Structure formats: structure tokens, C-alpha cells
Amino acid sequence: MPDTVLVTGGAGFLGSHIAVELARTGFAPIILDNFTNSTPAIRSRLEALGGRPVPCITADVRDAAALRAAFHDHPITAVVHCAGLEDVAESESRPLAYYDVNVGGTLALIEVMGEAGVATLVFSSAASVYGDATDLRLAEDTPLQSASVYGRTKRVVEDFLRDLAKANANWRIGIVRKFNPAGAHSSGMMGEAPRGRATHLFPQLCRVAAGEASELIVHGDDWDTADGTGVRDFVHVQDLADGFVRTLKYVLAKPGTLTVNLGSGQATSVYAAIAAFERACGRSVARVIGPRRLGDVAGSCADIARAAALLDWHPTRDLDAICADAWRWQKNGARY
């Protein structure tokens, strides 16, 4: 029997791709999601791409009773925890909600996992924990200087998980500091489908190029970067999903805690991303300069040497592939 893995937030952009990669590599994924920014309709695509049934539990990760029922009803042996709020700018105006969901949800999950005797977890952290770090390339030992509420909630959870593993040697925990998930599944069947206003760059580019929005707002052109726009490490969502599954396999084999960066290792400016996307879609993207957003930083890229050495993980899809897959998803309707 394959290991059964619960993916919290499993209907979201990253979680859904992780669920498919789990199924594709021999695990039995179950998704748990409250569907505030996703839809149960994704289930049929998960099953088609993963080649196996994918049970779906509608619940909030803060709901301990629902979590207990999930662990009672399914032979769960590990968890990939992606559920949470993740808008950096929004976190500045809604700190209570972000601490409640991101920290409170993790505490509820860990409590129920402990009750069920399940002690293997991969946590989806974020590059935001590095915040205003001045290093151009961020390694796992770069000092953390979270500059946003979102980043601080991730850091709090990281600290808690390390304390947990130190106190109880049974725990096997992978902390994945993901950089910026982008693109879409190469099949064109799955991608980023935010409800309402898109906040991430590539869904915004898609909507402008498709005529669904009038223009892209570039948040600041006075950053201390080569072209004045912020830089990001954009990593293809399928490469990222592969890295999460490799992290799970690693911690299944070794107790303790692993902290690892997953990114492309390349710093891409907003203007460079726009140019690449225009090449992919064959259209120009109207843009205007807007103010910087609260919590934003100039940006850096990941040092991925640890992921290469310990997980044998290397990103295989470049910026052009990210743009091509994002545009394919848009042309297919960008919805479920």
C-alpha cells in the first residue's frame, strides 16, 4: 500500500501540483481545503493527471474536529502543509487573520497529528522569512529579517517546528522556503486561478494580455536594482512540487529537521519578466508605475546548493517555460 499523504491547501496553486506529483511518484494524496481561494472542481484534474483517486476533504485547517475526523477516516502517514494566507501586502492590514490562520492553523494541525501518532511533516514556508536581507543570493543560514506580517508568521511557525523536533525526536520535519511559484502545469490543465483580483505577477500578466484587465501595475521603479524594478526568484510550480516531494522522501528516511530553499537560483526583475511574457504570448502588455506596496522588498534569489546536495533537486524549467505554460493555461480559460 502506498503511503497516504494529507496535503492541506491541496486545491490551491502549489498544493494541487504537489498532490499530482505525489500521486505520480507512488504516494496516495488526500487534499484538505476550505476552498476560499480554490474550487472542489479541481479534483477531477488531480485524478486525471495523477492517475489515481484523490479524496477531498472540505475543511479549514484550524478546525481540530475536522482534522481528527480526517486522521480517523484515512490511514495518513505524513502531511504536506500548504494551507494558509499568503498575500504580503494584505498581511499588513490583516495581521490578526494572518496569525490566526498561518500560526493557529499549524498549531491545530500539529496537535491532531500528535494525537494520531503521525510525526512526518513538510511545511511550506517562504522566502519572505529573509525579508530585507542584503545578500544577493540567500542561503539557508542567511540571517532572517522578515519585513512583512506574512513573513513573520512563517518565521514563527519555523521556530515552533524546530522547537518541536528538538523536544521530541520522533518528529521528521522538512521546512521548505519556497521562492515565487509561477507558471502552470505543462498539460494546460492546472494553473493559478485566483478568485477576484490577481495579486501575483504572472496571473496579472495573463489577464492584461488576454484583455481581462487594462494594465499591469508595476509597484515601484526606484528600487536599488539594475532597471529600478524589484527582482524575484521565479520557480516553475512543477519544479517546486517535485522539490516538496523530494523533501518528503528525505524526511521519511531521516528523523530531525531539514530546512531547504527551493527556487530557480536566478534573480529576475519585473521588467525582465514582462519582456519574457510578451515574447511567449506575442502581445505587448500595457503597464503603469504604481507605488511600492507595504511589506515589499527589492528582492534576491535562492542559493539552492543544499537542495542539490541533499535532495538531488535541480530546477528544469526556465523563465521562458514559466511564461509559455502560464499563457497556455490562460488560453485554456484559466479556470476550473
Side-chain angles (χ1 to χ4, degrees), residues 159-171 173 256-257:
D159 288 342
F160 160 63
L161 293 176
R162 280 187 283 269
D163 289 341
L164 179 68
K166 187 182 300 183
N168 186 334
N170 291 327
W171 281 93
I173 297 174
T257 303

Side-chain angles (χ1 to χ4, degrees), residues 28-114:
I30 297 172
I31 65 171
L32 180 144
D33 208 297
N34 64 6
F35 301 109
T36 57
N37 195 35
S38 56
T39 172
I42 197 173
R43 180 179 177 181
S44 61
R45 305 196 188 196
L46 297 177
E47 294 179 337
L49 290 169
R52 64 172 301 119
V54 179
C56 174
I57 300 166
T58 302
D60 191 293
V61 74
R62 295 167 292 177
D63 185 342
L67 291 172
R68 290 188 180 99
F71 280 87
H72 177 272
D73 295 342
H74 302 277
I76 297 165
T77 58
V79 177
V80 178
H81 180 31
C82 297
L85 300 176
E86 60 176 12
D87 186 317
V88 170
E90 181 188 59
S91 74
E92 298 303 301
S93 60
R94 300 184 64 207
L96 177 59
Y98 272 70
Y99 276 92
D100 183 25
V101 175
N102 294 357
V103 179
T106 303
L107 293 175
L109 175 64
I110 293 297
E111 179 180 2
V112 174
M113 289 178 67

